[in-house]
Amino acid sequence: ASATRHAARLGRTLEVLWEGPSKRNPARLTGRDRSGRLVHAEGPADLAGRILPVRITRTSALTLGGELT
């Protein structure tokens, strides 16, 4: 299932295309990794449109969460 696949990425660093602020939390960025998985991380909105690495620190069935590196 998705939760198992996402859990396998815990601790890894992924390249993410940041789309902009999260709809639920404007202080958090939303983006997608190369496989199209939804990723969230704390960061400024002006990173939208950039591809930056993020270290995955939390996972759920629907999303990945992490820290910009």
Side-chain angles (χ1 to χ4, degrees):
S2 293
T4 303
R5 288 193 298 273
H6 284 179
R9 285 163 179 76
L10 195 61
R12 293 180 55 194
T13 298
L14 304 175
E15 287 187 330
V16 175
L17 172 58
W18 296 107
E19 298 171 348
S22 167
K23 292 176 185 172
R24 290 187 182 178
N25 181 352
R28 183 178 292 166
L29 290 171
T30 296
R32 297 200 179 262
D33 71 1
R34 291 187 179 270
S35 298
R37 291 178 198 89
L38 197 58
V39 181
H40 297 288
E42 301 294 322
D46 65 352
L47 296 180
R50 297 182 59 191
I51 297 173
L52 297 169
V54 62
R55 186 173 55 84
I56 302 303
T57 58
R58 61 194 178 281
T59 66
S60 74
L62 300 176
T63 65
L64 299 170
E67 300 170 349
L68 293 167
T69 59

